[in-house]
Amino acid sequence: MVSSDSQRLTFRTGTHVSGPSAETQSSTQKAKPSRIFIWVKLRLKLLIALTVMGLILIYTGIQDQDHNFLEYSQTFQHSYMRSTIDASSVGTECLNLPIIRPHGLSFLNQKVKSVSSPDGVTPSFKIGTMLGPKVAEHMSSDLVHFQLINELMEDHGSKGGLTFDFGANQGFFTYYLAALGMNVHSFEIYEPNFIPLQHGMYFNSKEIADRVNLYPLGIGEKVGRFSLSGKDYGGFLKDGNDGAILGVSFDCFAYHTKLNISNVAFVKIDVEGYEIAALKGAHKSLFSNTSRIGGMLMEVGPARWKRAQVDLTTGIVEMKKLSTHFRNSYLLIRTSGGHWEGCPPQLVDGILVDDKPRVIDNVNMYKVQLDEWKPLLTKMETKDYDCNFWYIN
């Protein structure tokens, strides 16, 4: 019997100690590959299983991505289609215009000075002006309007929403809306106002300036060249084909810009008698059934509608139609302060049934019913009143 010590293999230089028999060696050599084979086989199976699981997960992920992309594409296409004005909906004059783009940065003008918003306005902002510090007093007459807009944005959660400022002047509302976080598209026809309006982009922070889009355009019913009548806060378009100012309908503007106007947060219209023309020029876009507006502030002066060749009857029809786009319509009456005589408290006597108006500082808010528009606007035209109206959804 061979001892256990004699079964070891020992390698020394020039020596050899006999080991196990050939039969034992053969058996040992066969056992070692068998264990290696089993080890490799198990790991190959594990690798194959993991690979199959990975392919299943990848395929499932691709399917989910395809589904999500399809949903996104359909949503985008639906939104784009709803907000796009077809070429057949606008006239040849609109189609022949160069693409309407916003005007932003400008040459600096040393005559334009920075003026801050009045104390108490939150968030604060700055505007450019050539009229000096007294502009801050002019802005003070809009404090109630700013409050209403702020309430609207808080109630609707509209931060970052789309807004329009027709008749932007020097930018009271433009830069207030931008300071609130809104994306603003503003229109002004009077060059001594438009230049300060541009400078507001320098005087405010980049965050505010980046939200502002400015257009030296008039908004009305027709596309063409107009001249200007009036100045400062009272400038308005004068019909004619040889003027320097480009006027367009909002339908035409929407066709060129392709903005998604299916959900607009806020609109301000102060166009000195062209308000009805502006409404008529937006029937297929902003005031169509496919567009929803959160709130709107509009100055209305029926005695001035003739500037845009609009008669009283047509204006009343348009005002009644406009009110159907909103849940509620309100007449804003100042009881004191600047310009209150232009829309005095006695205007509502015998016309409006709302005898408990909301009171905000020196302003009373009277709700206007559908059947009250005709007598109200007729009296305004007779007395040459111009008043502000607030609309909300």
Side-chain angles (χ1 to χ4, degrees):
M1 184 174 180
V2 182
S3 68
S4 60
D5 289 341
S6 66
Q7 293 181 13
R8 299 187 186 128
L9 289 177
T10 305
F11 295 92
R12 293 190 182 94
T13 304
T15 64
H16 175 263
V17 178
S18 63
S21 66
E23 184 179 352
T24 304
Q25 286 182 347
S26 175
S27 174
T28 303
Q29 288 173 354
K30 288 180 181 180
K32 287 182 179 179
S34 177
R35 286 195 296 270
I36 293 172
F37 176 75
I38 294 172
W39 181 85
V40 171
K41 185 176 181 181
L42 288 174
R43 277 151 183 77
L44 282 174
K45 287 182 177 180
L46 179 61
L47 180 61
I48 291 170
L50 291 174
T51 301
V52 171
M53 289 177 63
L55 290 173
I56 292 173
L57 290 174
I58 291 172
Y59 177 77
T60 303
I62 291 174
Q63 291 293 99
D64 289 341
Q65 287 179 351
D66 287 344
H67 178 70
N68 293 337
F69 179 76
L70 179 61
E71 285 186 340
Y72 171 80
S73 300
Q74 290 173 341
T75 301
F76 176 80
Q77 183 181 31
H78 179 62
S79 176
Y80 184 82
M81 289 175 65
R82 286 200 305 164
S83 64
T84 300
I85 304 300
D86 189 82
S88 62
S89 300
V90 296
T92 304
E93 295 87 351
C94 177
L95 297 176
N96 289 337
L97 288 176
I99 295 176
I100 296 175
R101 296 185 178 94
H103 287 57
L105 304 178
S106 65
F107 294 104
L108 288 177
N109 188 321
Q110 297 301 318
K111 295 180 180 179
V112 180
K113 304 301 180 183
S114 174
V115 174
S116 297
S117 55
D119 293 339
V121 175
T122 304
S124 62
F125 60 95
K126 296 178 181 180
I127 66 162
T129 183
M130 295 185 185
L131 301 179
K134 64 180 180 180
V135 168
E137 299 176 13
H138 302 165
M139 279 191 280
S140 296
S141 64
D142 287 311
L143 292 181
V144 170
H145 301 149
F146 292 161
Q147 179 179 335
L148 289 172
I149 293 171
N150 203 346
E151 291 176 1
L152 174 71
M153 301 310 169
E154 289 180 354
D155 291 343
H156 288 226
S158 301
K159 185 175 181 180
L162 180 65
T163 62
F164 295 98
D165 186 358
F166 303 135
N169 201 269
Q170 299 159 92
F172 300 177
F173 287 87
T174 292
Y175 289 104
Y176 178 64
L177 290 167
L180 281 172
M182 314 307 291
N183 294 309
V184 194
H185 294 262
S186 301
F187 305 79
E188 175 56 41
I189 60 172
Y190 184 47
E191 188 174 6
N193 281 341
F194 190 78
I195 293 172
L197 182 63
Q198 289 178 302
H199 279 62
M201 300 182 75
Y202 289 102
F203 298 144
N204 286 282
S205 67
K206 183 182 186 302
E207 183 181 14
I208 291 176
D210 285 348
R211 302 186 185 115
V212 175
N213 304 272
L214 306 177
Y215 307 86
L217 296 173
I219 294 293
E221 185 180 5
K222 299 184 295 185
V223 177
R225 288 287 172 178
F226 296 78
S227 56
L228 178 79
S229 186
K231 61 179 183 178
D232 296 336
Y233 297 104
F236 59 92
L237 294 174
K238 186 176 180 181
D239 207 355
N241 295 321
D242 57 350
I245 301 168
L246 177 61
V248 300
S249 66
F250 189 86
D251 290 343
C252 178
F253 172 81
Y255 169 77
H256 277 264
T257 59
K258 300 296 187 292
L259 289 171
N260 185 348
I261 55 173
S262 59
N263 190 12
V264 175
F266 176 74
V267 176
K268 190 216 85 180
I269 302 179
D270 183 359
V271 288
E272 304 299 325
Y274 269 74
E275 54 269 15
I276 301 301
L279 298 179
K280 293 177 70 177
H283 279 173
K284 300 172 183 177
S285 53
L286 190 59
F287 297 108
S288 70
N289 292 330
T290 60
S291 179
R292 182 186 183 279
I293 303 173
M296 188 170 89
L297 176 68
M298 182 168 71
E299 184 182 65
V300 177
R304 302 181 299 188
W305 291 345
K306 57 181 175 287
R307 296 173 177 175
Q309 292 79 52
V310 173
D311 58 40
L312 180 62
T313 301
T314 301
I316 292 173
V317 170
E318 289 296 323
M319 289 291 289
K320 292 176 71 173
K321 186 186 299 182
L322 172 67
S323 68
T324 64
H325 285 273
F326 296 91
R327 179 167 47 88
N328 290 314
S329 306
Y330 298 92
L331 168 65
L332 305 182
I333 296 284
R334 286 194 179 101
T335 57
S336 62
H339 308 293
W340 73 271
E341 302 93 341
C343 185
Q346 59 265 31
L347 170 61
V348 305
D349 295 344
I351 297 178
L352 303 185
V353 298
D354 185 2
D355 58 356
K356 294 181 180 179
R358 178 186 175 186
V359 179
I360 309 176
D361 294 335
N362 65 331
V363 174
N364 292 346
M365 291 181 58
Y366 292 91
K367 189 174 182 179
V368 183
Q369 305 292 341
L370 189 62
D371 61 349
E372 294 173 336
W373 284 107
K374 183 175 180 179
L376 177 63
L377 294 168
T378 300
K379 186 173 182 179
M380 288 176 62
E381 196 266 346
T382 302
K383 298 291 186 179
D384 195 13
Y385 294 150
D386 58 278
C387 303
N388 289 314
F389 289 85
W390 177 254
Y391 303 83
I392 191 169
N393 274 316

